[in-house]
Amino acid sequence: MMVPTLSMTKAMPLGDMVFIIVAFLTLMVILKHVAYGPLTKALDARADKINNDLDSAKKANEDAAKLAAQREQELADGKDQASQVISAAKKSAKDQSEALLKTANDQALSLRKAAENDADQLKTEALASAKKDVADLSVTIASKLIQKNLSADDQRSLIDAYLADLDQQ
């Protein structure tokens, strides 16, 4: 037996065709309201969520870039402040060392002057002592040589006069 095909059968009656078209259109309207509407809404909601997520990610990325730039600037400022503190500390240390050196030099100069003054005083005292000793010795020698005793004051004046003549020469 042969199965009838569309080409083999007669044309479809007009009433059946209208019924199929009306049923198809009714099915399309029902599908639109029942399936396509909610599906479209769900797809639109998902597209909106994806767009919002992309916008949020873009904003978060921009915020992160701004925060990174701010941290970089703060780091650079911190380095500048640290170098300023180091420079100030170096300058302060240099100033203090110069002040200490100046104080040490001043003290050394003062000690040197005091030592020179002490040496001059000791020299003067030694000369005075030597003059006295020479005078006493000279009086003793002179008195033994001439066997005449001059007063000690007279002999000292003669010797002082003689030594004064020697100092002037």
Side-chain angles (χ1 to χ4, degrees), residues 76-93:
D77 291 345
K79 285 181 181 178
D80 288 344
Q81 289 176 352
S83 66
Q84 288 174 357
V85 166
I86 289 170
S87 296
K90 284 181 181 178
K91 184 181 183 308
S92 176

Side-chain angles (χ1 to χ4, degrees), residues 72-127:
E72 287 289 328
Q73 182 63 38
E74 289 173 355
L75 182 63
D77 291 345
K79 285 181 181 178
D80 288 344
Q81 289 176 352
S83 66
Q84 288 174 357
V85 166
I86 289 170
S87 296
K90 284 181 181 178
K91 184 181 183 308
S92 176
K94 182 180 176 185
D95 291 346
Q96 286 180 352
S97 68
E98 288 175 357
L100 287 174
L101 283 175
K102 184 178 185 299
T103 302
N105 286 336
D106 290 345
Q107 288 177 349
L109 183 63
S110 174
L111 289 173
R112 184 174 158 225
K113 286 183 181 179
E116 287 176 356
N117 288 341
D118 288 346
D120 287 343
Q121 184 178 1
L122 288 174
K123 180 181 170 185
T124 304
E125 289 174 1
L127 283 175

Side-chain angles (χ1 to χ4, degrees), residues 9 22 31 36 48 74 89 93 106 125 130 147 169:
T9 60
V22 170
L31 279 176
Y36 293 133
D48 288 343
E74 289 173 355
D106 290 345
E125 289 174 1
Q147 292 293 322
Q169 292 176 359

